[in-house]
C-alpha cells in the first residue's frame, strides 16, 4: 500500500499535468478560433499558470522575452532602414529589369526578388512591398491590351496575316476579279468576327483570357515566393524563431542550430521549391509553351511587352541615382549577414573564438549592435552640403527614428512567441510533454521517415485553418516528446515540421501574404486552392528529400544524440 505522502505527491503531479493540459487547450482554442487577437490569447498562460500553481509569475514573465526577441528587434531596425530609403524597391525593379517582360520570365524575376527580400524581411512586409510594383506592371499590361483592342490587336494582325496568305495561294489559280471578290468577302468576315468579339473585351476587366491568366500567375507567385524566402533564414519568419528558441530551451546542450547551419540546410530547399513552383504555376496558368513565354530574344517581344518594360524602366528612373543612405543600409545588410555566418561556422573557428569567455555572444548580439548604430549614423553624407528629401532639415537626422522602428515592429508576434515559450516551459515542468510521449509509444514500430512524413502532413493541414505560429507552438512540445520516446533525433521531426507549417497557402486565411494578394482581386479562392495544393505537395516532398539526404550528415540524424538522451533521462526521473 502507498503511504499518504506518496499518494499526495502522485495527486499533485497528476493535477499539474491536467492543469497544464487545460491551459494548453484553452490557449489553442483561442488561437484557432481567433475569438480574441492572437497576442491577447498568448497572455493566457501568464495568469493561468500562476493561478494553477504550475509556474511562478516571475518564471512565466521571463519566458516572454528571450534572445530571439532581441534578434527580431535588430532585424526590424535594418528592415525599417531598407523600407525608408526604398532599397527594396530598387532591388526588386533591377531584378525584374534583368528578367524582362516575357510572361514566364517576368514571373520568375518577381519570384526571385521576393525570395531574396523575404529572407531578411517578414513575409507580410515583403508581399506588401512587392505587390504594388507587380500591380503597376499588370495594369500597364491591361491598359496596353485595351489600347491594342481599339487599334490593331494582336488577334487582328494574325487574322489579316492568314487572310493575305490565303489570298496569295488563291491568286495562282483564279482570275483577278474572283480574287477581289473573295478578298472582300474574307475581309468583311474577319471584321465582323472581330467587331462581334470587341464588346466582350471592353466589358471585361482583362483584354483577353490570357491576360487574366498572367495576372493570376504573377499574383500567386509573389505570395508563394515570400513563403519560400522565409524558410531560408532563422529570422525569415516567426515560426523559425519559435523553433530555434524552443529547441535551444529544451535542449541547451545541443549547439547545432544557428544561422549558418540553418541556411546550409534550407537554401537548397528554397532553390528547388522556387524552380518547381515556377514550373507548376507556369503549367497551370500559362501552359507549356516555354519558348514563347520565356524567350529573351528582342525579336519575339510584342508591343505590349515592350510597353511593360518601358513602365518598369520609368519606375526605376524615378528612384534617381543610388543615395548615401541606401549605400549605408546595403553595407549594414552585408555586414550583418557576414557576421552571422562567421560567428560559429563549425568547420573553422568563428570570430567568437577571439573572446575569452565562450557562449556569451549570439546572433542577437550582432543584430542589436548594428540595429542600434542605425539610430546613431546620420542620413546625410559627411562633409556634404547636399541633403536628402527624407532626412528633413536636421543635418544630424539618423538613418532611422524610433517611429520608423515602431511602425514595423510586430509586437503581437513578440507576445505570441513569448506565449509559446511559456506553454513549452509549463509542459516541461508539469511533466505533460512526457505523458504525451508515453501515449505515442505505439508509433515506435514506424521508421523515422514515416513519423516525419506524418508530422509534416498533419501540421501542413492544420495550418491551413490556424495561424502558423500558433500551430507550431502547439505541436513542437508534442513532437519533441514523441521523438524522445521513439529514440529518434528530435531534429528529424522538428525541422521538417517547422518548415511545413509555413505551407498554409491554399486559402486567403492561411497567412497574411495570401490575404494581401487575394485583396487585389485577380484570383479566386478556387484558383488559390488549386495552385496552393500543388505548392503544398511540392513543399512537403522537397523537405522530406532534404531531411533524408543532405540533412543527415549536417545534423547527424542517424544517431540519437547525447543532448536528447540527457533530456530524456532527466524527464523520466
Amino acid at each position: 500500500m502507498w503511504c499518504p505522502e506518496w499518494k499526495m505527491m502522485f495527486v499533485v503531479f497528476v493535477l499539474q499535468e491536467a492543469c497544464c493540459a487545460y491551459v494548453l487547450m484553452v490557449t489553442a482554442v483561442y488561437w484557432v478560433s481567433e475569438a480574441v487577437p492572437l497576442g491577447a490569447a498568448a497572455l493566457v498562460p501568464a495568469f493561468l499558470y500562476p493561478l494553477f500553481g504550475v509556474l511562478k509569475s516571475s518564471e512565466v514573465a521571463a519566458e516572454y522575452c528571450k534572445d530571439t526577441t532581441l534578434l527580431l528587434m535588430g532585424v526590424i531596425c535594418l528592415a525599417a532602414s531598407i523600407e525608408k530609403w526604398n532599397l527594396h524597391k530598387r532591388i526588386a525593379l533591377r531584378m525584374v529589369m534583368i528578367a524582362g517582360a516575357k510572361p514566364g520570365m517576368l514571373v520568375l524575376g518577381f519570384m526571385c526578388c521576393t525570395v531574396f527580400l523575404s529572407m531578411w524581411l517578414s513575409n507580410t512586409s515583403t508581399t506588401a512591398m512587392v505587390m504594388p510594383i507587380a500591380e503597376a506592371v499588370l495594369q500597364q499590361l491591361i491598359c496596353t491590351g485595351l489600347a491594342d483592342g481599339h487599334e490593331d490587336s494582336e488577334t487582328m494582325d494574325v487574322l489579316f496575316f492568314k487572310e493575305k496568305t490565303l489570298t496569295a495561294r488563291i491568286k495562282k489559280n483564279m482570275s483577278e476579279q474572283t480574287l477581289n471578290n473573295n478578298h472582300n468577302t474574307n475581309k468583311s468576315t474577319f471584321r465582323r468576327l472581330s467587331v462581334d468579339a470587341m464588346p466582350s473585351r471592353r466589358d471585361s476587366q482583362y483584354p483577353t483570357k490570357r491576360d487574366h491568366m498572367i495576372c493570376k500567375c504573377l499574383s500567386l507567385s509573389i505570395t508563394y515566393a515570400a513563403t519560400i524566402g522565409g524558410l531560408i533564414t532563422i529570422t525569415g519568419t516567426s515560426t523559425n524563431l519559435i523553433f530555434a528558441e524552443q529547441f535551444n530551451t529544451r535542449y541547451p546542450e545541443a549547439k547545432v542550430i544557428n544561422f549558418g547551419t540553418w541556411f546550409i540546410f534550407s537554401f537548397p530547399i528554397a532553390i528547388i521549391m522556387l524552380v518547381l513552383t515556377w514550373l507548376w504555376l507556369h503549367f497551370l496558368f500559362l501552359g507549356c509553351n516555354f519558348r514563347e513565354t520565356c524567350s529573351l530574344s528582342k525579336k519575339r517581344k510584342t508591343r505590349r511587352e515592350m510597353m511593360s518594360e518601358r513602365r518598369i524602366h520609368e519606375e526605376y528612373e524615378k528612384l534617381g541615382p543610388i543615395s548615401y543612405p541606401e549605400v549605408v543600409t546595403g553595407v549594414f545588410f552585408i555586414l550583418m549577414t557576414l557576421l552571422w555566418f562567421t560567428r560559429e561556422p563549425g568547420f573553422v573557428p568563428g570570430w567568437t573564438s577571439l573572446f575569452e569567455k565562450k557562449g556569451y555572444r549570439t546572433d542577437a548580439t550582432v543584430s542589436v549592435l548594428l540595429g542600434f548604430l542605425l539610430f546613431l549614423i546620420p542620413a546625410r553624407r559627411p562633409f556634404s552640403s547636399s541633403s536628402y528629401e527624407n532626412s528633413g532639415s536636421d543635418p544630424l537626422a539618423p538613418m532611422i527614428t524610433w517611429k520608423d522602428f515602431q511602425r514595423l515592429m510586430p509586437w503581437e508576434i513578440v507576445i505570441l512567441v513569448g506565449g509559446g515559450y511559456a506553454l513549452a516551459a509549463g509542459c516541461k515542468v508539469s511533466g505533460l510533454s512526457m505523458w504525451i510521449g508515453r501515449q505515442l509509444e505505439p508509433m515506435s514500430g514506424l521508421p523515422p521517415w514515416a513519423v516525419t512524413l506524418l508530422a509534416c502532413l498533419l501540421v501542413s493541414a492544420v495550418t491551413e485553418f490556424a495561424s502558423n505560429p500558433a500551430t507550431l507552438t502547439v505541436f513542437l512540445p508534442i513532437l519533441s516528446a514523441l521523438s524522445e520516446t521513439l529514440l529518434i533525433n528530435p531534429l528529424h521531426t522538428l525541422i521538417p515540421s517547422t518548415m511545413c507549417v509555413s505551407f498554409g497557402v491554399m486559402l486567403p486565411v492561411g497567412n497574411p501574404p495570401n490575404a494581401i494578394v487575394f485583396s487585389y482581386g485577380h484570383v479566386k479562392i478556387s484558383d488559390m486552392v488549386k495552385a496552393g495544393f500543388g505548392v503544398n505537395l511540392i513543399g512537403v516532398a522537397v523537405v522530406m528529400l532534404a531531411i533524408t539526404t543532405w540533412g543527415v550528415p549536417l545534423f547527424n540524424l542517424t544517431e540519437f544524440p547525447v543532448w536528447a538522451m540527457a533530456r530524456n533521462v532527466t524527464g523520466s526521473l
Side-chain angles (χ1 to χ4, degrees):
M1 293 183 64
W2 287 9
C3 63
E5 292 80 4
W6 280 104
K7 287 184 178 180
M8 184 175 297
M9 289 178 63
F10 177 76
V11 170
V12 170
F13 184 70
V14 173
L15 183 62
Q16 274 203 328
E17 287 182 350
C19 290
C20 183
Y22 173 76
V23 175
L24 181 63
M25 287 188 293
V26 169
T27 309
V29 167
Y30 277 127
W31 274 339
V32 173
S33 64
E34 297 189 24
V36 295
L38 294 177
L43 295 174
V44 170
F47 60 86
L48 283 187
Y49 274 165
L51 290 176
F52 289 156
V54 178
L55 286 174
K56 295 180 181 179
S57 183
S58 58
E59 294 173 337
V60 179
E63 300 295 330
Y64 280 85
C65 185
K66 293 283 190 176
D67 184 68
T68 50
T69 305
L70 298 179
L71 176 64
L72 180 62
M73 292 175 70
V75 171
I76 292 299
C77 290
L78 181 61
S81 183
I82 290 175
E83 183 176 338
K84 180 177 182 178
W85 302 108
N86 282 327
L87 183 59
H88 65 288
K89 192 172 183 180
R90 185 179 295 276
I91 294 172
L93 289 173
R94 171 56 68 180
M95 295 182 73
V96 173
M97 287 167 61
I98 295 173
K102 283 287 183 181
M105 297 306 297
L106 186 67
V107 171
L108 183 60
F110 267 102
M111 289 184 73
C112 288
C113 71
T114 304
V115 166
F116 178 76
L117 293 174
S118 187
M119 289 169 59
W120 318 104
L121 311 178
S122 71
N123 299 353
T124 305
S125 299
T126 302
T127 307
M129 292 173 185
V130 176
M131 264 311 289
I133 302 174
E135 182 66 15
V137 175
L138 292 176
Q139 291 302 322
Q140 181 62 45
L141 185 73
I142 293 172
C143 292
T144 310
L146 291 173
D148 286 347
H150 289 292
E151 298 171 6
D152 295 325
S153 66
E154 293 176 2
T155 306
M156 288 290 291
D157 291 338
V158 171
L159 291 173
F160 276 111
F161 175 77
K162 289 182 178 180
E163 175 198 357
K164 291 178 181 179
T165 304
L166 179 62
T167 302
R169 291 177 179 175
I170 297 174
K171 192 173 182 179
K172 296 180 181 179
N173 301 318
M174 302 186 66
S175 63
E176 187 68 24
Q177 182 178 2
T178 307
L179 171 64
N180 290 336
N181 290 339
N182 287 342
H183 179 79
N184 292 333
T185 302
N186 289 335
K187 184 176 288 188
S188 62
T189 302
F190 291 144
R191 285 177 176 170
R192 184 172 67 252
L193 290 173
S194 300
V195 169
D196 292 341
M198 282 300 294
S200 63
R201 288 183 60 178
R202 287 192 185 117
D203 294 341
S204 175
Q205 179 186 354
Y206 308 95
T208 63
K209 183 179 179 180
R210 180 174 176 78
D211 293 325
H212 194 188
M213 293 295 104
I214 293 174
C215 292
K216 288 181 179 181
C217 186
L218 184 57
S219 299
L220 290 175
S221 69
I222 290 174
T223 181
Y224 299 154
T227 298
I228 294 171
L231 301 176
I232 300 178
T233 60
I234 284 287
T235 59
T237 182
S238 59
T239 51
N240 294 356
L241 290 171
I242 292 173
F243 159 74
E245 186 58 39
Q246 287 208 19
F247 179 82
N248 291 329
T249 301
R250 187 180 183 94
Y251 307 107
E253 300 299 322
K255 307 295 183 182
V256 291
I257 296 297
N258 54 47
F259 186 90
T261 55
W262 183 273
F263 184 88
I264 293 171
F265 176 75
S266 59
F267 185 72
I269 294 177
I271 296 299
I272 298 173
M273 280 195 65
L274 175 64
V275 174
L276 294 181
T277 301
W278 175 68
L279 292 174
W280 165 243
L281 292 177
H282 195 290
F283 167 76
L284 201 60
F285 296 107
L286 303 179
C288 298
N289 192 353
F290 290 91
R291 184 177 181 183
E292 178 186 347
T293 60
C294 302
S295 174
L296 297 177
S297 174
K298 293 184 178 180
K299 295 180 180 180
R300 292 180 176 270
K301 290 182 181 178
T302 63
R303 174 175 176 267
R304 300 170 63 187
E305 290 166 354
M306 289 189 290
M307 290 289 290
S308 299
E309 284 189 356
R310 188 182 306 169
R311 178 61 182 268
I312 294 171
H313 279 79
E314 289 174 355
E315 290 293 325
Y316 187 82
E317 289 173 357
K318 289 179 183 178
L319 297 176
I322 188 167
S323 62
Y324 172 73
E326 287 179 86
V327 173
V328 174
T329 303
V331 170
F332 270 58
F333 173 80
I334 296 172
L335 184 61
M336 183 179 290
T337 306
L338 289 177
L339 290 175
W340 277 343
F341 268 114
T342 57
R343 182 176 65 86
E344 288 180 357
F347 54 91
V348 293
W351 56 264
T352 53
S353 61
L354 301 176
F355 297 88
E356 182 178 354
K357 293 185 177 180
K358 310 299 180 183
Y360 281 75
R361 288 147 290 276
T362 65
D363 291 336
T365 310
V366 174
S367 177
V368 174
L369 171 62
L370 297 181
F372 175 75
L373 291 178
L374 289 172
F375 289 99
L376 288 179
I377 299 176
R380 181 179 295 185
R381 187 195 305 269
F383 311 110
S384 175
S385 58
S386 62
S387 61
Y388 297 98
E389 181 181 355
N390 290 338
S391 62
S393 57
D394 186 3
L396 298 179
M399 291 287 296
I400 59 172
T401 63
W402 186 255
K403 288 184 178 180
D404 298 327
F405 166 78
Q406 200 168 11
R407 181 168 50 86
L408 289 184
M409 184 62 191
W411 293 111
E412 184 182 38
I413 295 298
V414 171
I415 298 175
L416 178 63
V417 173
Y421 300 155
L423 286 175
C427 291
K428 177 181 177 181
V429 171
S430 66
L432 177 63
S433 60
M434 293 305 303
W435 179 86
I436 294 174
R438 288 193 296 270
Q439 309 312 307
L440 298 174
E441 284 182 356
M443 297 179 64
S444 58
L446 295 175
W449 67 266
V451 175
T452 302
L453 179 60
L454 289 175
C456 291
L457 293 176
L458 181 60
V459 297
S460 60
V462 173
T463 194
E464 294 290 349
F465 308 97
S467 73
N468 300 352
T471 302
L472 188 65
T473 302
V474 171
F475 275 96
L476 277 180
I478 298 174
L479 294 176
S480 298
L482 172 63
S483 300
E484 293 167 8
T485 302
L486 304 182
L487 298 180
I488 300 173
N489 191 319
L491 292 173
H492 203 294
T493 54
L494 298 183
I495 292 180
S497 300
T498 300
M499 291 196 161
C500 289
V501 84
S502 296
F503 299 152
V505 294
M506 292 175 59
L507 296 172
V509 298
N511 55 49
N514 285 9
I516 292 173
V517 167
F518 186 77
S519 67
Y520 278 80
H522 295 301
V523 298
K524 300 177 182 178
I525 292 182
S526 58
D527 299 319
M528 193 167 280
V529 170
K530 183 168 56 176
F533 181 74
V535 174
N536 219 325
L537 292 181
I538 291 171
V540 173
V542 175
V543 169
M544 287 300 300
L545 172 67
I547 203 65
T548 55
T549 52
W550 65 85
V552 174
L554 182 62
F555 298 114
N556 195 19
L557 299 180
T558 55
E559 300 178 357
F560 188 66
V562 176
W563 44 263
M565 193 179 301
R567 171 67 179 79
N568 199 13
V569 172
T570 305
S572 300
L573 294 177

